[in-house]
Amino acid sequence: MNFEFPFQQLPAVMQGPRIERRRILIGGSSFWGTMQDDGQLRLDDGRVVDAEAACYLPPVNPSKIIAVHISYSSRSFETRNKNKPTETPTYFTKPPTSLNGHKGQILKPADCKYLNYEGEYAVVIGKTCRNVTPDEAWDFIEGFCPALDMGLQDFRDTDQGSMLRVKGADSLLPIGPGLVRGVNLFEQTLRTYVNGLVVQEAHIGDETIWGPHYVIADLARHITLVPGDVILMGTPCHSRSVDPGQVVECEITGIGRVSGTVVAIPAPRAAALGVGHAPTDSPEVRRVALGFDERVPEHFKENLRHSRGG
Amino acid sequence: MNFEFPFQQLPAVMQGPRIERRRILIGGSSFWGTMQDDGQLRLDDGRVVDAEAACYLPPVNPSKIIAVHISYSSRSFETRNKNKPTETPTYFTKPPTSLNGHKGQILKPADCKYLNYEGEYAVVIGKTCRNVTPDEAWDFIEGFCPALDMGLQDFRDTDQGSMLRVKGADSLLPIGPGLVRGVNLFEQTLRTYVNGLVVQEAHIGDETIWGPHYVIADLARHITLVPGDVILMGTPCHSRSVDPGQVVECEITGIGRVSGTVVAIPAPRAAALGVGHAPTDSPEVRRVALGFDERVPEHFKENLRHSRGG
Amino acid sequence: MNFEFPFQQLPAVMQGPRIERRRILIGGSSFWGTMQDDGQLRLDDGRVVDAEAACYLPPVNPSKIIAVHISYSSRSFETRNKNKPTETPTYFTKPPTSLNGHKGQILKPADCKYLNYEGEYAVVIGKTCRNVTPDEAWDFIEGFCPALDMGLQDFRDTDQGSMLRVKGADSLLPIGPGLVRGVNLFEQTLRTYVNGLVVQEAHIGDETIWGPHYVIADLARHITLVPGDVILMGTPCHSRSVDPGQVVECEITGIGRVSGTVVAIPAPRAAALGVGHAPTDSPEVRRVALGFDERVPEHFKENLRHSRGG
Amino acid sequence: MNFEFPFQQLPAVMQGPRIERRRILIGGSSFWGTMQDDGQLRLDDGRVVDAEAACYLPPVNPSKIIAVHISYSSRSFETRNKNKPTETPTYFTKPPTSLNGHKGQILKPADCKYLNYEGEYAVVIGKTCRNVTPDEAWDFIEGFCPALDMGLQDFRDTDQGSMLRVKGADSLLPIGPGLVRGVNLFEQTLRTYVNGLVVQEAHIGDETIWGPHYVIADLARHITLVPGDVILMGTPCHSRSVDPGQVVECEITGIGRVSGTVVAIPAPRAAALGVGHAPTDSPEVRRVALGFDERVPEHFKENLRHSRGG
C-alpha cells in the first residue's frame, strides 16, 4: 500500500464536514443540489425534492475517463491466478459516451452473453494537474463517487487489451448518485449488490494497493488531467455476469450507493451483415467473465446464485 | 419580407424527406433517436420507445443563444405602438443555463408576478459560419425546433435593454421535442397554447419580417456562429403572463409542439437581504407584461382568460 | 460600496500566496504553467519558458460571459450625465466567440469608426453557484484576470440596449495573461494604456460601487453560474475610440497587464449587399464613443491625443 | 479489402470540389478559413493570410479519439511476424489532451528512449452516429486530416495493451493542417517523412484492409460517435523511433501534410521518487520500437539512417 494510513494529517478532500452534490433532471432542465441530513435533496434554487424519486444525471462531465485495471489485492490475486501483481498500476480508458447516471439502464445487446459488473469508486479531478507528486495529488481531487465499471466480456478476445469494446459501449458507466467530499475514503467499505445481495466487498483502507494520490501522480507523469476528468479505481474480486432484469448496485459506505438495471437491446444492424467483431464465447472470455472461484468468499457466490433465483 | 417566396429552389434544409431527431434521457444516459411515421421514436440503438412517455433533453447544445427581438409584423405593431418597426432586426442573448427540454418545468420565483410566454421557432447552426450572404446562409442551418422564449417581465426595468434578468433565468427556454429538417418553414403556422387554448398564431411565410437566412447573414457580419448555436426567431403578438400550474406550448406545424409547465420556486435568499435587483411592478413592466390589446384578435384574449378558469 | 473594507477576514481567494496560472500555445498544443518569482513561466511539464515571448491563449473557457454596465463611480458619473446611478448593477453579455488572449489582435472592420476600449478586471467562477449571499459568493471565485471589454460603438443605436453587435464581435475580449488568486483586489489599481500612455485609472477599493461578491449574489438569484464563467466588472471613466495600429493594455496592479493591438479587417460581404445593420454615425453613437469630458482628468485626454501622435 | 473500388458512386464526402478548412491562432483568438487555389488561407472574416507562416490549431475538437491498431497490409505483415492478421480491426484510444496542431512540438521526456512515428490519416465524424451499416457510414464523415500517431514505446510493457502511456501522453497527436472533403481518399498515397526523407509509404486504395466506412460501422455497433470525434486509421510498415531535433511529417496526397518537431522535456518529478511506471528497455519494447526489417523496403531504412546524419 503506497500511502501511510492513518495519515498524519488528513487531506482536505477527506476532512469533514461531508458535502454531497447531486445533479438531477426535472422536465428537461438539470439542477444541482446538496444532500441534507434528513436525506432530502435541497436544490440550489431553494426547492427541496425527494432524493429517492429524483431522475439522476451523472454528477460529472469528464473529458476523459481512465480506469485502473487492478487496485485491490483480492482482485489482483483472482485475475493473476496466484502470480505476483504488476509492480505499478496499469490503465485503460472508457469514452465519455459510456457515462450513465444513478438508476440508469445498463444496456446488454441481444448478441452478448457476458455483461460483468465491477463495483468501484471514482475520483474526480478538480484542477488542471500535470507532473505532481503523490503528496501533492490530493489537492487536485474534487471528490469521490460510487461507480459501476460494467463490461461486455464477450469482446474480451479482441482489441488487444485496450478493452474499448468490452468497457466502452454506451451506458456502461453508472456513476453517482452524488459527488462527495469530506469523507475519509480509507475508512470506507465497498460493496457490490445484485438484486440486493452482496457479491463483492472490500475495506478500501485494507485492500487498496495504490491510492488515488499514487494513481494521479503516475498518470500525470505524461498526461495532463483536467477538471472533471474521472479516474475509476478498480474493483475487488468476484466480477461476474448479470442478465436483463437484474439490479446491480455499488455502495461505498459514507459516499453513496449507485444502481443500474440490466436491460436488453437489439443486436446491432451491422451484426446481421457480418460487419465488425462479433461477440465470442471463447475460453479466455469465459475465464474472465465467469471468474476463478478460488479464494472468493463462498457467500458472494451463493448470493449471486440467489440473485438469479437459483 | 427579405426573402422570395415561393423559392425558385427550396434550400436543402427545407427539402424533404422530413427528418426529426430527438434526444431523451433513460435512467441517467442520453440517447438520440429518429421519429417514425407511426409516432414512435426509434432510438439509434434499435429500441423503439413511446415518444409520448419519454423524458426529453434539449435537442441542442449551443455555445450561444441569440434571440431576435421582433420578427413578426403583428408583434412589431403591438410593441411599437403603431410606430414603424426598426429597419433591421435587433438581438439579445440567453445563457446556455436557460435551456430546458420538452415537458420542462418553467420556474417562476415566488417574488415575481409576470412570467410571459413567447412562442417561437429556433434555428440551429450546423457549420461554422462567418461573413456569409443570405443566399449562402441556408447551408449553415442544421434544422429547426419549436421553442418557448419565456421572460420574467418583472425585471423589464433593469439591465438597460439586455434583458439578461428578464430572459436569462434558469429554465426559461423549453426547446424541442426534436430538431427537424426537410420541412418548408414558410408554409408553416406557429401557435402558442395555454392550457390547450390558442393564445398566439401566425403564418410564418405571411408574417415573417426577416427570414433566418437574413438574420444569420446579419449576425455573421461580425460574430462567428459555431455548430450547435441557436437563434430564436421572435414571437408574434400577444405575449402575456402565465401562472404556476398553467401549461404553455408552442407548436410549429410540420415541426413539432414543445410544452412546459409553470412551477413556483422560492424567492432567492439574496432577496431577503435586499441584495440585487428586486422584481418591480412599474408601468413599463406592466406595459410589456400585460400588453396592448389593440389589434390583438379577440379570441386570443378570451382563450387566455379561459385558460385561467376566468 | 456594498462591502466592508478592510475586511475582518480576507476571503480565501484574496489571501496569499499569490498564484498566477497562464496557458500558452506551443506549436499547436496548449500548456498550463505557473509564473515564477523571476518572471519566467514554469510549465507544468517542467519546462521553463520566457513569459515575454510566449503565445498566449485565454486562461479561461467560459460557457457564459456576463458584463456589468457600470461599477465605478467615475464611469457612473460620466455616462449618467450627472444623474444618480442605477440602484443595482445592470448587465449585458458577450458570446464566447469574443474571447481573445494576451497580445491579441483586436479586429476593427473597415466600415466601423468607433472601437472603444474599456479596461476591466474579470472574475472567474470556480464552482457551480446559484442562490448565494454576498458573503458566501467569495468561495465561488477561482481568481481574477485583467481584461479589455472592447466595443464597436458604431452599433450603439441598434439592439435596444443588449449591445450584442457593440460588444459581441469576434476578438473583442482580450483577457489574461494569467488567472490570479492570492491578491487583495481592493488594494489594487486599474490602469488602461494606449500606446503606453495612461488613459483610464481607478483605485479598485476606492471607486468600486459593487464588489464581485455582490454581483455574483445578484446574478445567482436566478441564473446558475458554472465553473469557468466570466464576469467582467465594468470600467472607470474615459472609454474612448482607438484605431488600427494602436496598442491597448489593461493593467490591474498585482494581477497583470493584458494587451491587444487594433488591426483592420475588411467590411463584411453582407454590407455590400445592404444586408443587416450598418454601422452608424449618429449623435447617440458619438455621445458614447467620444465621451463626456467633464470631470475626466485632463492628463487622460492629453495622453490619448499623444497616443495618436497628436 | 472490405470496400468496392472503384465505387459505383463516390460517397459525397469524397466528391469534389475539394474544400480544406483550417483553424489558426492569431494573437490569442482562433479563426477558421478556407484554403485558396493559390495556396493562401482566406479567413472567414475576409483577411487573407500566408498559410506557410500561420500558427495552427488542430482543426478538430473531439470528445473521443479512437485509433485502429492495424489497417494496412504492410503493417499487418510487419507486426504479426508473418502470421495472419486479425479478422476484424482492433482499437485503442488517445485522450483529447494528446491533440497537437500542424508544426507542433512533439514532446519526448528525458527518461524515454523510443518515441516512434506512425503516419496516418484521420476521419472526423460530422453527425451523431450509432448502429449504422458500412454503406450508410460515409454520410457521417465530415472530412479527413493527415495525422501523426506518435508513441512512447518505452511504455510498451505496461497497460496490458491499452497503450494509454504509450500513445496517450500530451502532444502525441499532431493533426492537420486542415480538415478536407471532396477528395477520393482511395486514390491517395500516404507518406511519412523524417527530416524530409520518406520513411513510410502506402497507396491507400491498394493497401487498406478496412476502410473508414467499415471501421465506423464496427465501432458504432455499441458506441455512439458524436460530431467532432476522430478516428485514426492506422499506419503502414516501418514505424521507428525519432530523436529531439528531428522533424516528422505525414503527407496524404490531395489532403495535406502535417509536421511536428521532436523536443526534449524533463523527466517527470514523480520519476525521481520512484512513483509510477518507469520507461523500460525490454526485448518487447525494442521489438516494437526498432521494428522488424524483413520486407520493409530498403530505401525507407536508408532514409531513416540519413535523417539521423548516419
Side-chain angles (χ1 to χ4, degrees):
Chain A
M1 193 164 63
N2 295 282
F3 51 90
E4 296 302 319
F5 182 66
F7 290 89
Q8 285 203 313
Q9 195 187 353
L10 212 53
V13 70
M14 298 208 283
Q15 284 174 31
R18 179 184 187 280
I19 297 172
E20 177 173 2
R21 298 278 295 164
R22 298 187 180 185
R23 187 165 59 132
I24 66 172
L25 191 82
I26 303 182
S29 270
S30 70
F31 299 93
W32 283 95
T34 303
M35 286 299 291
Q36 305 297 297
D37 291 342
D38 61 3
Q40 292 200 295
L41 178 62
R42 178 177 292 271
L43 300 184
D44 292 350
D45 61 26
R47 284 178 290 175
V48 176
V49 300
D50 178 356
E52 285 306 306
C55 174
Y56 284 96
L57 294 165
V60 293
N61 188 23
S63 77
K64 56 181 170 286
I65 302 166
I66 299 176
V68 183
H69 279 109
I70 307 284
S71 190
Y72 288 85
S73 45
S74 64
R75 180 70 173 162
S76 174
F77 178 88
E78 181 183 40
T79 58
R80 286 274 153 183
N81 213 359
K82 286 163 289 180
N83 295 332
K84 73 169 168 48
T86 55
E87 281 174 33
T88 47
T90 62
Y91 310 102
F92 62 97
T93 67
K94 290 174 88 101
T97 31
S98 66
L99 276 175
N100 203 337
H102 176 50
K103 298 189 186 171
Q105 289 190 354
I106 302 167
L107 304 181
K108 184 172 187 173
D111 54 353
C112 290
K113 271 191 191 169
Y114 303 114
L115 172 63
N116 275 40
Y117 58 77
E118 300 190 3
E120 314 210 350
Y121 69 90
V123 174
V124 181
I125 298 295
K127 292 191 295 184
T128 299
C129 176
R130 170 84 163 81
N131 196 24
V132 299
T133 66
D135 281 352
E136 295 163 351
W138 293 111
D139 274 348
F140 295 85
I141 300 176
E142 186 170 343
F144 309 103
C145 311
L148 285 162
D149 176 18
M150 306 300 294
L152 288 169
Q153 299 293 346
D154 308 69
F155 295 113
R156 193 76 195 187
D157 275 343
T158 186
D159 288 330
Q160 306 185 34
S162 82
M163 292 203 289
L164 178 67
R165 274 178 276 214
V166 176
K167 295 297 187 75
D170 292 355
S171 86
L172 295 194
L173 180 53
I175 187 167
L179 173 58
V180 177
R181 56 184 297 138
V183 172
N184 186 339
L185 188 70
F186 294 117
E187 292 180 346
Q188 309 308 320
T189 295
L190 176 161
R191 285 189 195 90
T192 306
Y193 304 82
V194 176
N195 287 359
L197 301 170
V198 176
V199 295
Q200 290 188 299
E201 182 174 300
H203 185 267
I204 291 174
D206 290 350
E207 297 202 26
T208 292
I209 306 175
W210 298 287
H213 59 321
Y214 185 94
V215 163
I216 289 171
D218 185 14
L219 288 168
R221 286 171 64 121
H222 303 296
I223 297 173
T224 298
L225 303 172
V226 301
D229 282 355
V230 163
I231 303 171
L232 297 170
M233 289 296 297
T235 197
C237 73
H238 202 242
S239 159
R240 293 294 183 276
S241 298
V242 282
D243 292 315
Q246 289 192 301
V247 175
V248 188
E249 296 169 284
C250 176
E251 174 187 42
I252 312 292
T253 59
I255 309 284
R257 187 166 171 160
V258 67
S259 79
T261 302
V262 181
V263 169
I265 59 168
R269 295 162 61 219
L273 304 174
V275 169
H277 192 84
T280 311
D281 194 353
S282 72
E284 168 64 7
V285 161
R286 298 175 71 91
R287 185 186 72 86
V288 179
L290 304 180
F292 305 105
D293 278 351
E294 193 181 336
R295 283 225 263 177
V296 170
E298 200 57 36
H299 64 287
F300 292 170
K301 295 184 276 178
E302 272 174 42
N303 282 343
L304 188 60
R305 273 194 300 273
H306 285 151
S307 78
R308 295 179 177 131
Chain B
M1 193 161 66
N2 296 281
F3 51 91
E4 296 301 319
F5 181 68
F7 288 90
Q8 286 204 313
Q9 194 187 354
L10 213 53
V13 70
M14 299 206 284
Q15 285 173 31
R18 180 184 187 277
I19 298 171
E20 177 173 1
R21 298 278 295 165
R22 297 187 180 186
R23 188 164 59 133
I24 66 172
L25 190 84
I26 303 182
S29 270
S30 69
F31 300 93
W32 283 96
T34 302
M35 286 301 290
Q36 305 299 298
D37 290 342
D38 62 1
Q40 292 202 294
L41 179 62
R42 179 176 291 272
L43 299 184
D44 292 349
D45 60 26
R47 286 177 289 174
V48 176
V49 301
D50 179 355
E52 285 305 306
C55 173
Y56 284 96
L57 293 166
V60 292
N61 189 22
S63 78
K64 54 182 171 284
I65 302 165
I66 299 176
V68 183
H69 279 108
I70 306 283
S71 191
Y72 288 85
S73 46
S74 64
R75 180 70 173 161
S76 175
F77 179 88
E78 181 183 43
T79 58
R80 286 274 154 178
N81 212 1
K82 287 163 289 178
N83 294 331
K84 72 169 170 48
T86 54
E87 283 174 31
T88 48
T90 62
Y91 310 101
F92 62 95
T93 67
K94 290 174 87 103
T97 31
S98 66
L99 276 175
N100 203 339
H102 176 49
K103 297 189 187 171
Q105 290 191 354
I106 303 166
L107 305 181
K108 183 172 188 172
D111 54 353
C112 290
K113 273 191 192 171
Y114 302 114
L115 173 62
N116 275 42
Y117 58 77
E118 300 190 4
E120 315 209 349
Y121 69 90
V123 174
V124 181
I125 297 294
K127 293 192 294 184
T128 299
C129 177
R130 170 86 163 80
N131 196 23
V132 298
T133 65
D135 280 352
E136 297 163 350
W138 292 111
D139 274 348
F140 295 85
I141 300 178
E142 186 169 343
F144 308 103
C145 310
L148 285 162
D149 176 18
M150 307 298 295
L152 288 168
Q153 299 292 349
D154 309 69
F155 295 114
R156 193 77 195 187
D157 275 344
T158 185
D159 288 330
Q160 307 185 32
S162 82
M163 293 203 289
L164 177 67
R165 275 178 275 215
V166 175
K167 294 296 188 74
D170 293 356
S171 87
L172 295 195
L173 181 53
I175 187 167
L179 174 59
V180 177
R181 57 182 297 135
V183 173
N184 185 340
L185 188 70
F186 294 118
E187 293 181 346
Q188 309 309 319
T189 296
L190 177 160
R191 286 189 195 90
T192 306
Y193 303 82
V194 177
N195 287 358
L197 302 171
V198 177
V199 294
Q200 291 188 298
E201 183 174 300
H203 185 269
I204 292 174
D206 291 348
E207 298 202 24
T208 292
I209 305 177
W210 298 287
H213 59 322
Y214 186 95
V215 162
I216 289 172
D218 185 14
L219 287 168
R221 287 171 62 120
H222 304 296
I223 298 174
T224 299
L225 303 173
V226 302
D229 283 355
V230 163
I231 303 172
L232 297 169
M233 288 298 295
T235 200
C237 75
H238 203 242
S239 159
R240 293 295 182 275
S241 297
V242 282
D243 291 316
Q246 289 191 302
V247 175
V248 188
E249 295 169 284
C250 175
E251 175 187 41
I252 312 291
T253 58
I255 310 283
R257 186 165 171 161
V258 65
S259 79
T261 302
V262 181
V263 169
I265 58 167
R269 295 162 60 221
L273 303 174
V275 169
H277 193 85
T280 310
D281 194 352
S282 71
E284 167 64 7
V285 162
R286 297 175 72 91
R287 185 185 72 86
V288 179
L290 305 181
F292 304 104
D293 279 349
E294 193 182 333
R295 285 226 262 177
V296 169
E298 199 59 33
H299 64 287
F300 292 172
K301 295 185 275 178
E302 270 174 44
N303 281 343
L304 188 59
R305 274 193 300 275
H306 285 152
S307 79
R308 293 181 177 129
Chain C
M1 195 163 63
N2 296 284
F3 51 91
E4 295 302 319
F5 182 67
F7 288 91
Q8 287 203 314
Q9 196 189 352
L10 212 54
V13 70
M14 298 209 281
Q15 284 173 32
R18 179 184 186 279
I19 297 171
E20 178 174 0
R21 298 279 295 165
R22 296 186 181 186
R23 188 165 60 131
I24 66 173
L25 190 84
I26 302 182
S29 269
S30 69
F31 299 94
W32 282 96
T34 303
M35 286 301 290
Q36 305 297 297
D37 290 342
D38 61 4
Q40 293 200 295
L41 178 62
R42 178 177 290 273
L43 299 184
D44 293 349
D45 60 26
R47 286 178 290 175
V48 175
V49 301
D50 179 355
E52 286 305 307
C55 174
Y56 284 96
L57 294 166
V60 292
N61 188 24
S63 78
K64 55 181 170 283
I65 303 167
I66 299 176
V68 182
H69 279 108
I70 308 281
S71 191
Y72 288 85
S73 46
S74 65
R75 180 70 173 162
S76 174
F77 179 87
E78 182 184 40
T79 57
R80 285 277 154 178
N81 213 359
K82 286 162 291 180
N83 295 333
K84 72 168 169 46
T86 55
E87 281 174 33
T88 48
T90 63
Y91 309 101
F92 63 96
T93 66
K94 290 175 88 101
T97 31
S98 65
L99 275 175
N100 202 338
H102 176 48
K103 298 188 186 172
Q105 290 191 353
I106 303 166
L107 304 181
K108 184 172 186 172
D111 54 352
C112 289
K113 272 191 191 170
Y114 303 114
L115 173 62
N116 276 39
Y117 59 77
E118 300 191 3
E120 314 208 351
Y121 69 90
V123 174
V124 181
I125 297 296
K127 293 192 294 185
T128 299
C129 176
R130 170 85 161 81
N131 196 22
V132 299
T133 66
D135 281 352
E136 295 163 351
W138 292 110
D139 274 348
F140 295 85
I141 300 177
E142 186 170 343
F144 308 102
C145 309
L148 284 162
D149 175 17
M150 306 300 296
L152 288 169
Q153 299 293 346
D154 309 68
F155 295 114
R156 192 78 196 187
D157 274 345
T158 184
D159 287 332
Q160 305 185 33
S162 82
M163 292 204 289
L164 178 67
R165 276 179 274 214
V166 175
K167 295 296 186 75
D170 292 358
S171 86
L172 295 194
L173 181 52
I175 188 167
L179 174 58
V180 177
R181 56 183 297 136
V183 172
N184 185 339
L185 187 71
F186 294 118
E187 293 180 345
Q188 309 309 319
T189 296
L190 176 161
R191 285 190 195 89
T192 306
Y193 303 83
V194 177
N195 287 0
L197 301 171
V198 176
V199 294
Q200 289 188 299
E201 183 174 301
H203 185 269
I204 292 173
D206 290 350
E207 297 201 25
T208 292
I209 304 176
W210 297 287
H213 60 321
Y214 186 94
V215 163
I216 290 171
D218 184 15
L219 288 167
R221 286 171 63 122
H222 303 296
I223 298 173
T224 299
L225 303 172
V226 302
D229 281 356
V230 164
I231 303 171
L232 298 169
M233 289 297 296
T235 199
C237 75
H238 202 241
S239 158
R240 293 293 182 278
S241 298
V242 281
D243 292 315
Q246 289 192 302
V247 175
V248 187
E249 295 170 283
C250 176
E251 175 188 40
I252 311 293
T253 60
I255 310 283
R257 185 165 171 161
V258 67
S259 80
T261 302
V262 180
V263 169
I265 59 168
R269 295 163 60 219
L273 304 174
V275 168
H277 192 84
T280 311
D281 194 354
S282 71
E284 168 63 7
V285 162
R286 298 175 71 93
R287 187 185 72 85
V288 179
L290 304 180
F292 304 105
D293 278 351
E294 195 181 332
R295 283 224 262 179
V296 170
E298 200 58 34
H299 64 287
F300 291 172
K301 295 185 275 178
E302 272 174 41
N303 281 343
L304 188 59
R305 273 194 302 273
H306 285 152
S307 78
R308 294 180 178 132
Chain D
M1 194 162 61
N2 296 282
F3 52 91
E4 296 303 318
F5 182 67
F7 288 90
Q8 287 204 311
Q9 195 188 355
L10 211 54
V13 70
M14 300 208 282
Q15 285 174 29
R18 179 185 187 278
I19 297 171
E20 177 173 0
R21 298 279 295 164
R22 298 188 179 185
R23 187 167 59 135
I24 66 172
L25 191 82
I26 302 182
S29 269
S30 68
F31 299 93
W32 282 96
T34 302
M35 285 302 289
Q36 305 297 298
D37 290 342
D38 61 2
Q40 292 201 295
L41 180 61
R42 179 178 292 271
L43 299 185
D44 292 349
D45 59 27
R47 285 177 289 175
V48 176
V49 301
D50 178 357
E52 285 305 306
C55 174
Y56 284 97
L57 294 166
V60 292
N61 188 24
S63 79
K64 54 181 171 285
I65 302 166
I66 298 177
V68 183
H69 279 109
I70 308 282
S71 190
Y72 288 86
S73 46
S74 65
R75 180 70 174 162
S76 174
F77 179 87
E78 181 184 43
T79 57
R80 285 276 156 179
N81 213 359
K82 288 163 289 180
N83 294 332
K84 72 168 170 49
T86 55
E87 282 174 32
T88 47
T90 63
Y91 309 101
F92 62 96
T93 66
K94 291 175 86 101
T97 32
S98 66
L99 275 176
N100 203 338
H102 175 49
K103 299 190 185 170
Q105 291 191 353
I106 303 166
L107 304 181
K108 184 172 187 173
D111 54 353
C112 289
K113 273 191 192 171
Y114 303 115
L115 173 62
N116 276 41
Y117 59 77
E118 300 190 3
E120 315 208 349
Y121 70 89
V123 174
V124 182
I125 297 295
K127 292 191 295 183
T128 299
C129 176
R130 171 86 163 80
N131 195 23
V132 299
T133 66
D135 281 351
E136 297 163 348
W138 293 110
D139 274 348
F140 295 85
I141 300 178
E142 185 170 344
F144 308 103
C145 311
L148 286 161
D149 176 19
M150 307 298 297
L152 288 168
Q153 299 293 348
D154 309 68
F155 295 114
R156 194 76 195 188
D157 274 345
T158 185
D159 286 331
Q160 306 186 34
S162 83
M163 293 204 289
L164 178 67
R165 275 178 275 214
V166 175
K167 296 295 188 75
D170 293 355
S171 85
L172 296 194
L173 181 52
I175 188 167
L179 174 59
V180 177
R181 58 183 294 137
V183 173
N184 185 339
L185 189 69
F186 293 118
E187 293 180 345
Q188 309 309 319
T189 295
L190 176 160
R191 287 189 194 90
T192 307
Y193 303 83
V194 176
N195 287 359
L197 301 170
V198 176
V199 295
Q200 292 188 298
E201 183 174 299
H203 185 269
I204 292 174
D206 290 349
E207 298 202 25
T208 291
I209 306 176
W210 298 287
H213 59 321
Y214 185 95
V215 163
I216 289 171
D218 185 14
L219 288 168
R221 286 170 64 120
H222 303 297
I223 298 174
T224 299
L225 303 173
V226 301
D229 281 357
V230 163
I231 303 173
L232 297 169
M233 289 296 298
T235 198
C237 76
H238 202 242
S239 158
R240 294 294 182 276
S241 298
V242 282
D243 292 315
Q246 289 191 302
V247 175
V248 187
E249 295 168 284
C250 176
E251 175 187 41
I252 311 293
T253 58
I255 310 284
R257 186 166 171 160
V258 66
S259 79
T261 302
V262 181
V263 169
I265 59 167
R269 295 162 61 218
L273 303 174
V275 168
H277 193 83
T280 309
D281 194 352
S282 72
E284 167 64 6
V285 162
R286 298 175 70 92
R287 186 186 72 85
V288 179
L290 304 181
F292 303 105
D293 279 349
E294 194 182 334
R295 282 226 262 177
V296 169
E298 201 58 34
H299 65 288
F300 291 171
K301 294 185 276 178
E302 270 173 44
N303 280 344
L304 189 59
R305 273 195 301 275
H306 285 151
S307 79
R308 293 179 177 131

